[in-house]
Amino acid sequence: MIWDGSFRKKIIKYVNSDTEPFLREGEIIRAEGLTKCFGDFVAVDHISFSVKKGEIFGFLGANGAGKTTAMKMLCGLSKPTEGRAEVAGYDLKWEVRKIKRSIGYMSQKFSLYEDLKVWENIRLFGGIYGLSDKEIQIKTDSLLERLGLEQQRNMFVRSLPLGWKQKLAFSVAIFHEPQIVFLDEPTGGVDPATRRGFWEMIYDAAEWGLTVFVTTHYMDEAEYCDRVSIMVDGRIEALDAPSALKSKYNAANMDQVFHTLARKAKRDE
Amino acid sequence: MIKYLIEKEFKQLWRNKFIISLIIILPCLVMLVFPWTTTMEIKNLNITVVDYDRSPVSAQLLNKLSSTEYFNFTGLASNYSEALQHIESGRSDIVLEIPASFETDLTNSRSSSIMIAANAVNETKANLGTSYLTAILADFASQFGGEVPVNISVESSYRFNSTMDYKIPMIPSLIVLIITLIVGFLPSMNIVIEKENGTIEQINVTPVPKYSFILGKLIPYWIIGVVVLTLSLVVSYLMYSLPPQGSLILLYGISIFYILGISALGLIISNYSTIMQQAMFTIFFVIIIFILMSGILTPISSMPQWAQSIASVNPLTYFSEIMRMIYLKGSSFPDLIPYIKPLFVFFVFIITWAILSYKKRG
């Protein structure tokens, strides 16, 4: 849309007379007072945080704490009621299209097309992000080889086991080489071994410099993150490295940290 | 970008065996069967006669009636109430009561009265049956006029349907109906299915512009619409040897706008719906209203004023009129302009709405 252009950005810059950049050195996401209301219900209540370039950032919270809502705002899927945020250097209010070009997203619910084949799903999303036929073809071959899915290339996605579907969805989400990938409970419903395999993929991608923003409620997964934030009733109650949180709350593992904090929750699921 | 979206829609459509068979079977079936069943002509009306006269003249009249192809004798009744029972049990559509003085009246005073009672549950049948019967009676009475028998049968000229074959005017209307049903219903299911499956979210998080997404959805249905139109034209030509009287290019040119407009309407409904049932019932409601108030089934001029104003903003009114004019009269572009203008306004309005109603940020 024309509204998305730099013209609006100039207006913003002009209105926000402080010429200092919003994102600090080394940051890729910064949110200040980000809020989302549905009627009277405040799903996300003035959260402020920042994510560093290249880190694996865990976004924890009980069901209904507002994790998914917060993530959907950052992805440009839903509009914040209040607050300001920048993602990959673009303003969340005015430059949603540019943000979308720089991020990948994998939703809680498996959302590739079940009635398309494996290669067709990859081709569709590659094409939507503006890759050429040639690029798509080369990248598809190397991706399928890396995943060990060459045999399944012509299979319909619906006939893949859930663990494979999740790996494929993650690969499709980062196929266009975004700067950040948002993963919303990416490993729901699979066994621990498959989850471990999935996290190995995340680590591989992070080594290439990708920033990973991941929500989960498996506390062992929280230990894999560089830093985690814990949301309770729409607010961020704690944010630090897992080791720092454990010593702060005098806990043996993240599970105990989580329980100490989540006990304060007043909101029902 | 849009190329990949269209490609995806086609793959999904092509793999859906139900949709493919619907696109092929529905037009063929409708064109083969409906013209025969929706004919406005009435034949084989069941008639019960109460003959109080039982004279040679009344026998002559009965003979004349049974010699036409319009009436079937279901029997004589001894009195009127017995005849009414025939109607109530559904054995008869019309009762003809001949008075006891029929022969004497006719020969002496040259006039007699006969009662006709028709079952008006089916109004068309009752009206047409009564007028056929009246015409035959008038003809019969004129033989007793003493003068040279005059033929009073109604002379009407049926322009553009000179053979009085009622299957013919139905054909363009049926084509309009088939197109409206297929390209209205299918897109209304489309986006809402993506919502139910959650795939729409994966699209919404991409930078694909709203108009690309909507056009990517519309173009496949547009092609389906053209296929359906072609299929209907071919079948009606093979079956009824009826080619359109006017220009095929004009017919296709206008249909293209209509098809895009109706598919966009389906997409709008899909955009506003959260589950498939909701989309299905909404499009069902809209299409039924469109069809009933379009002049396809009943003439607009006989509708009450409020209904006429609804018909005047109904795209189907204009499209079916255009279709009939091209198909039966062979009208050319200048004659069609008053009908094309509102159709074009509808097209622009509905496409814009379809793009705007798709909720996506950026």
Side-chain angles (χ1 to χ4, degrees):
Chain A
M1 296 283 276
I2 26 173
W3 306 116
D4 210 64
S6 53
F7 180 59
R8 292 296 275 267
K9 195 176 180 184
K10 274 173 201 150
I11 296 177
I12 304 303
K13 288 255 164 79
Y14 183 72
V15 173
N16 297 333
S17 48
D18 59 313
T19 45
E20 226 174 288
F22 186 66
L23 280 184
R24 310 283 154 77
E25 183 65 31
E27 287 176 354
I28 196 155
I29 300 174
R30 181 172 193 87
E32 269 174 23
L34 203 61
T35 303
K36 179 77 186 185
C37 304
F38 297 106
D40 289 338
F41 179 72
V42 188
V44 174
D45 191 0
H46 297 89
I47 57 170
S48 303
F49 66 95
S50 64
V51 177
K52 292 188 197 109
K53 217 170 252 177
E55 77 175 337
I56 300 177
F57 188 85
F59 207 57
L60 315 188
N63 287 340
K67 300 183 303 263
T68 301
T69 312
M71 183 182 258
K72 281 189 174 167
M73 281 193 282
L74 293 173
C75 292
L77 283 173
S78 85
K79 203 174 179 174
T81 317
E82 227 180 89
R84 188 175 171 203
E86 268 191 23
V87 176
Y90 301 114
D91 188 275
L92 193 55
K93 257 201 191 96
W94 309 112
E95 297 169 303
V96 177
R97 273 279 283 293
K98 285 181 178 163
I99 290 180
K100 286 181 174 176
R101 232 174 263 141
S102 340
I103 63 165
Y105 170 75
M106 175 182 167
S107 87
Q108 204 169 356
K109 201 174 163 189
F110 177 74
S111 54
L112 294 184
Y113 289 92
E114 305 247 349
D115 52 353
L116 293 183
K117 292 170 182 168
V118 170
W119 71 269
E120 289 170 344
N121 267 293
I122 301 173
R123 177 178 159 80
L124 170 66
F125 285 101
I128 286 181
Y129 283 103
L131 274 66
S132 71
D133 279 4
K134 190 87 194 137
E135 280 176 284
I136 293 173
Q137 209 185 336
I138 294 168
K139 290 194 72 182
T140 304
D141 288 343
S142 71
L143 170 67
L144 290 178
E145 195 192 322
R146 219 170 40 245
L147 288 175
L149 274 174
E150 287 140 311
Q151 301 292 312
Q152 283 78 18
R153 185 190 187 96
N154 280 314
M155 258 169 82
F156 284 106
V157 162
R158 76 165 84 84
S159 51
L160 290 178
L162 184 58
W164 283 114
K165 282 185 184 173
Q166 289 172 343
K167 284 185 177 175
L168 182 66
F170 177 69
S171 308
V172 168
I174 61 169
F175 193 72
H176 60 287
E177 297 172 4
Q179 298 181 49
I180 312 164
V181 67
F182 290 89
L183 309 172
D184 193 4
E185 292 177 19
T187 56
V190 297
D191 61 80
T194 312
R195 267 168 46 203
R196 195 178 300 272
F198 191 88
W199 273 87
E200 275 164 18
M201 288 183 70
I202 295 182
Y203 271 115
D204 282 349
E207 250 166 55
W208 287 77
L210 180 75
T211 307
V212 181
F213 187 103
V214 56
T215 75
T216 179
H217 45 220
Y218 293 115
M219 288 307 133
D220 56 329
E221 290 186 351
E223 309 265 5
Y224 301 147
C225 300
D226 295 325
R227 286 196 306 150
V228 296
S229 76
I230 299 179
M231 268 186 99
V232 178
D233 286 354
R235 280 186 292 271
I236 292 181
E237 285 291 323
L239 197 167
D240 215 328
S243 55
L245 285 177
K246 277 185 280 190
S247 60
K248 184 179 173 192
Y249 290 93
N250 203 11
N253 51 34
M254 281 304 294
D255 206 32
Q256 286 178 8
V257 175
F258 185 75
H259 277 103
T260 316
L261 289 166
R263 220 177 289 139
K264 297 180 192 165
K266 293 185 182 66
R267 206 187 264 174
D268 290 335
E269 278 194 10
Chain B
M1 195 183 269
I2 197 166
K3 170 184 116 183
Y4 297 94
L5 288 168
I6 296 173
E7 192 182 304
K8 164 224 159 215
E9 291 298 326
F10 268 114
K11 283 174 185 160
Q12 287 182 308
L13 280 170
W14 193 246
R15 283 169 191 161
N16 190 329
K17 293 287 166 283
F18 171 72
I19 290 181
I20 295 297
S21 34
L22 185 79
I23 292 167
I24 295 167
I25 295 172
L26 189 76
C28 294
L29 211 64
V30 169
M31 293 318 292
L32 291 180
V33 176
F34 276 31
W36 301 91
T37 56
T38 51
T39 167
M40 290 298 170
E41 207 173 8
I42 303 276
K43 276 179 190 166
N44 303 322
L45 275 166
N46 293 324
I47 186 165
T48 297
V49 177
V50 186
D51 185 2
Y52 290 121
D53 194 29
R54 293 178 193 277
S55 64
V57 176
S58 70
Q60 217 178 315
L61 173 64
L62 295 190
N63 203 28
K64 187 176 172 73
L65 281 177
S66 60
S67 65
T68 69
E69 60 177 342
Y70 299 112
F71 297 103
N72 280 342
F73 268 108
T74 42
L76 286 163
S78 54
N79 56 45
Y80 183 63
S81 61
E82 191 189 321
L84 271 187
Q85 277 171 17
H86 284 200
I87 286 195
E88 274 172 21
S89 65
R91 260 167 59 199
S92 198
D93 301 309
I94 276 196
V95 173
L96 177 73
E97 194 188 62
I98 303 174
S101 55
F102 186 61
E103 186 180 13
T104 9
D105 284 352
L106 217 53
T107 39
N108 295 343
S109 66
R110 316 223 177 280
S111 82
S112 177
S113 52
I114 274 185
M115 190 181 74
I116 300 169
N119 178 8
V121 168
N122 182 337
E123 212 187 308
T124 335
K125 223 171 167 184
N127 282 339
L128 284 172
T130 310
S131 61
Y132 287 163
L133 200 51
T134 318
I136 292 169
L137 290 173
D139 186 34
F140 182 77
S142 69
Q143 293 172 15
F144 293 84
E147 303 148 25
V148 189
V150 250
N151 196 352
I152 332 180
S153 73
V154 190
E155 282 287 349
S156 17
S157 99
Y158 291 85
R159 294 190 61 195
F160 314 120
N161 185 12
S162 46
T163 55
M164 278 292 283
D165 184 346
Y166 280 92
K167 289 191 284 302
I168 288 175
M170 281 318 289
I171 286 167
S173 303
L174 286 174
I175 294 177
V176 172
L177 284 185
I178 300 167
I179 292 179
T180 309
L181 286 176
I182 293 185
V183 301
F185 267 93
L186 291 184
S188 77
M189 302 290 122
N190 188 305
I191 293 177
V192 79
I193 287 179
E194 291 221 23
K195 281 186 197 169
E196 286 192 347
N197 292 340
T199 49
I200 192 97
E201 213 165 61
Q202 203 65 51
I203 295 285
N204 285 346
V205 84
T206 67
V208 60
K210 284 182 175 193
Y211 65 86
S212 298
F213 182 75
I214 293 296
L215 283 183
K217 295 266 178 209
L218 278 179
I219 289 169
Y221 293 110
W222 177 59
I223 292 172
I224 287 175
V226 173
V227 168
V228 167
L229 172 64
T230 311
L231 210 59
S232 311
L233 289 176
V234 169
V235 172
S236 64
Y237 179 70
L238 294 179
M239 232 359 236
Y240 312 102
S241 354
L242 180 74
Q245 301 298 305
S247 144
L248 262 181
I249 296 168
L250 195 60
L251 189 114
Y252 271 91
I254 296 168
S255 301
I256 277 168
F257 285 111
Y258 178 74
I259 291 168
L260 274 177
I262 286 291
S263 348
L265 181 77
L267 287 185
I268 290 171
I269 288 170
S270 212
N271 268 332
Y272 285 114
S273 306
T274 43
I275 53 167
M276 216 165 79
Q277 282 89 335
Q278 189 189 353
M280 210 166 73
F281 282 110
T282 315
I283 190 79
F284 193 67
F285 174 77
V286 171
I287 286 189
I288 293 270
I289 300 267
F290 271 13
I291 290 175
L292 289 179
M293 297 201 143
S294 66
I296 288 183
L297 301 173
T298 48
I300 292 173
S301 54
S302 57
M303 292 178 187
Q305 196 52 51
W306 60 268
Q308 288 194 24
S309 30
I310 295 177
S312 69
V313 294
N314 178 355
L316 215 59
T317 307
Y318 300 100
F319 185 57
S320 63
E321 194 55 40
I322 290 172
M323 206 66 162
R324 278 193 285 235
M325 284 170 80
I326 297 180
Y327 217 101
L328 303 171
K329 270 164 81 175
S331 302
S332 58
F333 187 70
D335 301 329
L336 296 172
I337 288 174
Y339 301 95
I340 293 175
K341 270 187 195 159
L343 205 58
F344 193 74
V345 172
F346 161 76
F347 166 78
V348 173
F349 170 73
I350 213 86
I351 297 270
T352 316
W353 189 7
I355 293 171
L356 293 180
S357 65
Y358 171 40
K359 297 273 175 287
K360 178 179 189 288
R361 291 201 67 206

